[in-house]
Amino acid sequence: MNILDLETDNITEPLAACVCVIGSGPAGAIVAAELAKKKIDVLLLEAGGRSPDFSNESISNINIFSDVTDLRFGWSRQFGGASNLWAGRTYPLEEADFKKRSWVPDSGWPFPLDTLEPYYQNASKLLDIPGYQFFKNREGANIQEEVFNSVINAETGLEANCFQWAKAPFNSSVYLKGIAKQHPSLRILLNASVGRLIEKTDATSVDTVQVVKTDGSLVNIKARYFVLAGGGIETPRLLLNSNQISPAGIGNEYDNVGRYFSTHPKADMAAIVLNKSVSTSNALFMDCPLEKGSYRYGISSSMQIQEKFELLNHYVQLSPLLEYQASQAFEVLKNTKILQSGLIDRNKLLKGFLPGIGKIAYEAISRIARLQPRTKTFTLRGFLDQYPNRENRIMLSNDQKADGTNKANISWCFSEKDKSSVLNFFSYLDKVLQEKEIGRVEYSGLKKTKDWPLIGIHSHFMGTTRMGEDKKTSVTDANARVHGSSNLYIAGPSLFPTYGFANPFLTISALSIRLGEHLAKQINKN
């Protein structure tokens, strides 16, 4: 099998490939696999090894400028990248997320949802999602709940969204091992930390990638095409550090690299208090089984309601009281002082803890909820959209890594404008519940609180090399090619111009399948 280790296999000579992919998370893995299946020569570089590395140096090549952060739960320097931390939860972005909206500055993808639809379907098969058709059509996934029938319908514009969990979460390293075994055109190099990309002197293409060994020596990688799939923080950091020919960094002519940084803030934010109790054994209130996984519904607003009230695309999940208490215990466990203690080797402790904790949490918490068969009170856990904001950004720090490249600083906030959108969403949900004489939303505390206790920068690092038709507000074109470069492409959530509420794994996968298809056509054409 063509899986080598830069440090232990004594590689010193320059390497070459038709396509060099940087990063083995879902974005890079799927692009590499799509090309290898077409017998295209691919070399995939992964900065980590076979075991997880959660040391400060590997996670924080970064200085954080935000109080609401824990990168350990979204960053995995390891073969397979962040897929090692994924719990299997999926949902596609919605039509509204792709549209240019007058009340959302810098919104709009360079193509509509329809363009991505076939790739979403292929990605669902690859990830072994129970049923792509359930996302929209609800066929086979029953949400009949008597009280909420009058709330969730076309008249109110409130919608039920069917999230799904794969029975066994997709892991990029397992997938890549299988592809490499079947397709010798794929080579994988572990512990291959990229320092810089080197452009040709005319700055129209990338010539070489420099990989830095632990002893400081360099191994140069040459390729016809390069795909940067390092995630929403490392990808812009590499572009900004690659400034030998282009002083501002590759793709940064208009100062867009690293800007528009967003995550998916989330928190238990409010409560629904009903006028009468309801059964909790419903997919709106707990995870329910499908043949190959499970599903659960939540509530969002239609595109028409978002336009009418100038809302972002937020989503809430309803949790019975016992489930809420269990989820709070889970958050306490994640933040327990034992994980912060200087006396504990976090690498050994977290090696088994972090990759597994997310995968078991949903199932365990849902089982606890079944102990409360009826209730009138549900907590609302918000999964929040955010306005594209140029001032939320990844920047180079003055501090340097051992390889001589600059670390990254993060500047991020959930603005007053972002908060206003959330409050307006809750206000509309409350209005519908009261008009239907069903209950109310209790969110008075949220209205009074200035510093919202959001789970902020810890996963879903999006937007920092956004796609677009206008070079002045984007980093890549619709095919994920970096503006001004003929052979450099980007894969991953940093491409997202807007963010929605859906966790990005399915969209990352769909975009990577599409990029693999596009690159294969380019290679065959040339």
Side-chain angles (χ1 to χ4, degrees):
M1 193 181 298
N2 294 322
I3 302 179
L4 301 174
D5 191 303
L6 182 68
E7 299 296 336
T8 61
D9 290 314
N10 195 31
I11 297 168
T12 58
E13 298 299 318
L15 300 173
C18 179
V19 181
C20 176
V21 178
I22 302 166
S24 69
I30 292 172
V31 171
E34 291 296 302
L35 295 170
K37 285 186 282 188
K38 295 178 172 65
K39 298 182 170 39
I40 294 170
D41 176 32
V42 183
L43 176 61
L44 184 144
L45 308 178
E46 167 53 49
R50 297 178 188 272
S51 299
D53 179 0
F54 295 106
S55 66
N56 286 336
E57 172 62 18
S58 67
I59 295 174
S60 266
N61 306 321
I62 291 172
N63 298 321
I64 300 299
F65 279 179
S66 172
D67 294 332
V68 282
T69 178
D70 192 341
L71 294 182
R72 294 171 302 155
F73 293 91
W75 180 302
S76 178
R77 186 186 178 101
Q78 178 189 1
F79 186 28
S83 72
N84 292 289
L85 306 176
W86 186 49
R89 190 173 190 261
T90 58
Y91 190 77
L93 291 176
E94 299 196 310
E95 185 180 0
D97 299 320
F98 289 85
K99 286 186 172 295
K100 184 171 181 60
R101 291 159 281 172
S102 61
W103 65 98
V104 184
D106 294 327
S107 59
W109 286 54
F111 48 75
L113 171 61
D114 289 350
T115 299
L116 210 55
E117 191 75 30
Y119 302 102
Y120 268 136
Q121 295 189 38
N122 291 338
S124 293
K125 293 174 185 176
L126 174 63
L127 303 182
D128 201 22
I129 302 306
Y132 182 78
Q133 70 276 17
F134 298 159
F135 284 128
K136 297 296 179 184
N137 298 332
R138 308 177 189 169
E139 178 186 344
N142 184 18
I143 62 161
Q144 296 302 316
E145 205 300 312
E146 184 177 352
V147 170
F148 279 87
N149 278 344
S150 62
V151 174
I152 303 170
N153 54 47
E155 175 201 350
T156 64
L158 292 173
E159 298 182 341
N161 313 95
C162 181
F163 276 82
Q164 295 180 53
W165 284 261
K167 189 171 185 179
F170 175 89
N171 185 283
S172 297
S173 64
V174 175
Y175 179 58
L176 284 169
K177 288 175 187 176
I179 295 295
K181 188 174 183 179
Q182 296 175 38
H183 302 280
S185 59
L186 172 62
R187 291 169 291 157
I188 299 167
L189 187 58
L190 303 179
N191 287 307
S193 179
V194 173
R196 290 183 174 91
L197 287 68
I198 307 298
E199 292 179 287
K200 293 182 178 178
T201 54
D202 62 2
T204 61
S205 62
V206 173
D207 178 69
T208 305
V209 161
Q210 291 183 338
V211 174
V212 186
K213 300 183 73 171
T214 53
D215 63 5
S217 62
L218 301 177
V219 174
N220 290 326
I221 313 290
K222 289 187 176 290
R224 286 173 59 191
Y225 296 92
F226 296 88
V227 178
L228 192 48
I233 297 174
E234 185 68 358
T235 289
R237 192 191 74 83
L238 283 173
L239 290 173
L240 292 171
N241 270 291
S242 301
N243 55 8
Q244 292 84 351
I245 304 297
S246 301
I250 295 176
N252 201 31
E253 180 182 1
Y254 294 100
D255 189 27
N256 288 314
V257 172
R259 291 190 180 270
Y260 299 99
F261 175 66
S262 182
T263 70
H264 274 138
K266 55 184 75 71
D268 297 305
M269 309 183 76
I272 283 183
V273 181
L274 302 178
N275 294 336
K276 63 178 183 178
S277 64
V278 297
S279 169
T280 59
S281 59
N282 185 278
L284 191 60
F285 310 131
M286 66 168 58
D287 301 346
C288 294
L290 286 170
E291 184 179 352
K292 294 191 297 179
S294 59
Y295 71 100
R296 182 166 182 167
Y297 280 94
I299 300 174
S300 69
S301 57
S302 69
M303 189 162 53
Q304 291 73 25
I305 292 298
Q306 290 175 41
E307 182 174 11
K308 180 178 180 180
F309 295 101
E310 297 192 348
L311 303 176
L312 291 174
N313 196 11
H314 306 299
Y315 160 91
V316 289
Q317 179 178 292
L318 283 71
S319 297
L321 182 60
L322 278 178
E323 181 179 63
Y324 166 71
Q325 291 172 331
S327 67
Q328 288 297 99
F330 171 59
E331 295 299 334
V332 170
L333 176 62
K334 286 200 304 184
N335 294 298
T336 180
K337 289 183 180 179
I338 192 172
L339 298 185
Q340 314 299 332
S341 172
L343 303 177
I344 299 294
D345 184 340
R346 286 197 311 150
N347 251 16
K348 292 180 180 178
L349 178 65
L350 299 179
K351 179 177 179 179
F353 176 73
L354 279 179
I357 191 168
K359 297 173 185 177
I360 66 173
Y362 292 113
E363 181 179 357
I365 290 171
S366 184
R367 285 178 179 173
I368 291 172
R370 289 182 172 87
L371 300 176
Q372 188 177 15
R374 297 187 69 85
T375 187
K376 292 198 297 185
T377 305
F378 295 87
T379 59
L380 292 179
R381 185 165 185 80
F383 295 77
L384 307 181
D385 196 1
Q386 188 169 18
Y387 284 98
N389 183 348
R390 282 181 59 82
E391 299 312 309
N392 285 341
R393 62 185 299 199
I394 309 297
M395 302 166 288
L396 291 185
S397 165
N398 291 327
D399 296 336
Q400 291 188 331
K401 290 178 58 177
D403 63 12
T405 62
N406 292 75
K407 299 180 182 181
N409 287 337
I410 299 176
S411 178
W412 178 88
C413 73
F414 199 68
S415 70
E416 292 303 315
K417 187 177 180 181
D418 292 322
K419 293 177 183 178
S420 178
S421 176
V422 176
L423 292 173
N424 289 340
F425 172 66
F426 281 133
S427 175
Y428 181 68
L429 179 58
D430 178 53
K431 176 176 177 288
V432 172
L433 286 169
Q434 296 209 42
E435 285 180 351
K436 302 294 183 182
E437 298 183 348
I438 288 172
R440 70 182 191 278
V441 177
E442 176 50 61
Y443 65 112
S444 57
L446 197 63
K447 288 186 280 188
K448 297 174 184 176
T449 302
K450 182 178 180 181
D451 297 321
W452 289 10
L454 298 171
I455 298 173
I457 306 172
H458 80 309
S459 62
H460 303 183
F461 311 133
M462 302 173 290
T464 50
T465 63
R466 63 203 319 253
M467 285 181 156
E469 296 173 338
D470 185 352
K471 294 180 182 180
K472 294 181 180 179
T473 57
S474 61
V475 176
T476 83
D477 64 15
N479 291 315
R481 182 177 59 82
V482 173
H483 295 311
S485 178
S486 63
N487 69 341
L488 177 60
Y489 291 79
I490 292 176
S494 63
L495 292 171
F496 294 13
T498 52
Y499 324 109
F501 59 77
N503 54 325
F505 206 101
L506 185 63
T507 303
I508 292 169
S509 304
L511 286 171
S512 289
I513 293 172
R514 182 174 181 265
L515 176 55
E517 179 183 275
H518 172 77
L519 271 173
K521 289 178 181 177
Q522 292 295 109
I523 291 164
N524 291 333
K525 185 169 62 177
N526 298 330

